[in-house]
Amino acid sequence: MKALVYDGTRDVKVKDVPDARIERPTDVLVRITTTNICGSDLHMYEGRTDMETGRVLGHENMGEVIAVGDGIDRVRVGDLVCLPFNISCGFCRNCEAGKTAYCLTTNPDPRMAGAAYGFAGMGPHNGGQAELLRVPYGDHNCLILPEEAREKQSDYVMLSDVFPTGWHATELAGLRAGESIVIYGAGPVGLMAALSANLKGAGKVMVVDRHPDRLALAGQIGAIPIDDSKGSAVDRVNDLTNGAGADRGCECVGYQAHDVEGVEHPNATLNNLVHSVRFTGGIGVVGVFVPQDPNSPDSLYQDGEVAFDYGLHWFKGQTMGTGQCNVKAYNRQLCGLIEQGKARPSWIVSHELPLAEAPSGYRHFDARDDGWTKVLLHPAA
C-alpha cells in the first residue's frame, strides 16, 4: 500500500509499505478515505520527538471498513467509520472510567498509559496517512457514521481528534453557559475550542494568535480575535472583561509557543493564562507538553520543566485541568451535532490533497504559510 513514512527531520515520503491487515480476531481493517495533517504531527516532523524512522504517520482518520476479524460483532464491512486518535481497549481500569486516552492495554511500554496511531511514544501502531489502517479492538474504537458522512467527510473526520480535543479544552476549563473564555492559539484545536465554547453558550469568546488567516476564521464564528503581535494579549483580555479577566481559559498551543520574533518560550501561554483568567477561574490545557525535549532551546524544557507563575496561580485560586482528550467521551455526541446541522467544523479546512501531495502539505503547514489552516489528505483519490 501507499503510505506517508517518516524518514527524519522535515523528511516525509510517500512509499510502498506492507499492507495493513487483520492480525487479531478483534481487529478491523479500514480503507482510509480522509486523514488529516495535525499540528501534533509537526512536533515529529520538526524532529522534536524520538519518533523512529520508517513509521507511518497520521492519527486523524476515517474510512470504509473492508474486512473484520472473527471476533467482531458490531462493525460490518461497508460501514463508514471515524477512528479516535486514542487506541483503547475498552476494558482496562482507565477505559472503564472513561479515560480512553490513558488505556493500560494498547501501549506495550509498562511505564506508559495510552496509545495512538503513528505517534511518538504512543505505542508501535502505524498511522492512517496511508491507503489502509488496522484498527485494534474495532468494535470499541470504530464510530459508525451516518450515511450523509460520505458526502461530508471534511466535517466528520474532525471527530477523530480536533473537534473532541477542542471540546475537551473547554471541559477541562469548566466552562458554563454565559461565561467568558479566552483561548490561546487559533490553530485547528484552538478554533475547535472556540466553536465548542459557542455551542456551550459562552457569553464571550476571545481567541489569541498572530496569524491573520487564523484570526479571521475565529471572527467568522463570532469570536473576538486578539492579535498579540500588536500589543499585550493579557491587557486586551482584561480590557474586554472590565479588568476582571476571563472566567475560563484554554491553552491550545503547547510547548513550542514562541514570541513574535520566533523565540520559543514553553511557559508563555501558560503564564499568560494565569494573568488572563480571573480569580477562581479555570484553565484547560490541551496543547502538547512532553516529559523531555532535548532539542529545546529552553534549558529548563529540555527536561520537560517550565518556569510557571505558580504563586499567582495559587494566589488567584485558579484550577487547571490538563492532558490528552479522551475522544470516545465526546465523539458520539459531537457526531450528533454535525448530523443535526448544529456544527460545521469543516469551516477551518483550507486544503484537500491526494496522498501523493502529502510532503508538500507538510511543508506548507509547518511553515504556517498564509491560508494553510487545516490540511486533509485523501489516500483513495
Side-chain angles (χ1 to χ4, degrees):
M1 67 178 185
K2 300 290 185 184
L4 187 78
V5 175
Y6 176 75
D7 272 353
T9 301
R10 290 188 168 87
D11 184 7
V12 293
K13 298 183 179 72
V14 177
K15 296 183 177 182
D16 289 316
V17 303
D19 284 350
R21 59 184 178 84
I22 299 289
E23 297 179 16
R24 301 180 64 185
T26 51
D27 287 349
V28 163
L29 187 64
V30 173
R31 179 178 64 87
I32 296 296
T33 55
T34 303
T35 177
N36 305 341
I37 301 176
C38 178
S40 297
D41 290 326
L42 298 182
H43 300 307
M44 294 171 286
Y45 181 72
E46 295 171 1
R48 298 293 290 273
T49 69
D50 58 356
M51 185 68 166
E52 61 271 31
T53 57
R55 286 276 301 280
V56 179
L57 294 171
H59 59 271
E60 298 186 8
N61 306 306
M62 71 175 288
E64 183 176 350
V65 175
I66 61 170
V68 299
D70 292 340
I72 293 295
D73 292 323
R74 183 177 65 90
V75 179
R76 297 287 182 264
V77 171
D79 285 343
L80 190 67
V81 296
C82 190
L83 296 319
F85 79 87
N86 326 114
I87 307 173
S88 55
C89 67
F91 55 77
C92 73
R93 177 178 182 176
N94 286 346
C95 285
E96 285 182 346
K99 307 296 185 183
T100 53
Y102 301 93
C103 177
L104 300 170
T105 303
T106 48
N107 193 325
D109 186 344
R111 302 164 298 176
M112 285 292 295
Y117 300 102
F119 207 90
M122 301 296 289
H125 311 276
N126 271 326
Q129 290 172 5
E131 293 178 318
L132 301 172
L133 179 67
R134 170 184 170 248
V135 180
Y137 301 107
D139 272 337
H140 169 69
N141 284 304
C142 290
L143 176 68
I144 300 173
L145 300 173
E147 189 61 28
E148 73 158 20
R150 296 183 186 277
E151 304 302 322
K152 296 182 178 179
Q153 294 198 28
S154 58
D155 284 313
Y156 282 92
V157 71
M158 301 302 176
L159 296 170
S160 60
D161 181 356
V162 287
F163 193 8
T165 296
W167 191 276
H168 186 56
T170 66
E171 289 283 302
L172 291 173
L175 178 66
R176 293 175 291 188
E179 292 185 322
S180 60
I181 186 167
V182 57
I183 297 159
Y184 278 83
V189 169
L191 292 169
M192 289 297 147
L195 174 63
S196 300
N198 278 341
L199 290 166
K200 289 183 171 187
K204 182 177 290 183
V205 180
M206 298 161 281
V207 178
V208 180
D209 205 293
R210 62 186 67 116
H211 293 277
D213 52 346
R214 295 180 172 189
L215 290 171
L217 288 171
Q220 286 178 17
I221 59 168
I224 300 170
I226 298 175
D227 186 341
D228 70 346
S229 70
K230 296 181 178 178
S232 166
V234 173
D235 289 346
R236 180 66 177 140
V237 172
N238 286 325
D239 288 343
L240 289 166
T241 55
N242 298 317
D247 296 305
R248 310 289 166 180
C250 294
E251 201 289 333
C252 300
V253 178
Y255 70 100
Q256 288 184 256
H258 54 274
D259 59 26
V260 291
E261 283 78 33
V263 179
E264 285 191 20
H265 302 280
N267 60 347
T269 47
L270 293 171
N271 288 338
N272 282 341
L273 278 163
V274 170
H275 289 264
S276 299
V277 171
R278 66 171 171 84
F279 281 76
T280 73
I283 298 170
V285 182
V286 295
V288 173
F289 289 83
V290 293
Q292 298 91 28
D293 178 17
N295 294 320
S296 175
D298 184 284
S299 59
L300 274 178
Y301 201 71
Q302 291 173 10
D303 295 317
E305 300 173 358
V306 296
F308 178 56
D309 289 346
Y310 184 74
L312 183 60
H313 174 64
W314 183 94
F315 192 74
K316 294 178 79 169
Q318 296 168 337
T319 57
M320 180 181 288
T322 68
Q324 290 189 356
C325 173
N326 307 296
V327 171
K328 282 185 64 66
Y330 313 115
N331 64 350
R332 192 175 299 277
Q333 70 192 76
L334 299 183
C335 180
L337 289 175
I338 296 173
E339 186 176 11
Q340 297 304 315
K342 303 292 186 181
R344 190 179 64 85
S346 63
W347 109 95
I348 70 170
V349 174
S350 59
H351 294 78
E352 300 191 50
L353 307 174
L355 183 65
E357 295 181 25
S360 173
Y362 266 84
R363 286 194 298 272
H364 286 290
F365 191 48
D366 179 56
R368 309 297 195 275
D369 286 341
D370 185 54
W372 287 76
T373 53
K374 185 64 174 175
V375 182
L376 276 54
L377 305 174
H378 298 292

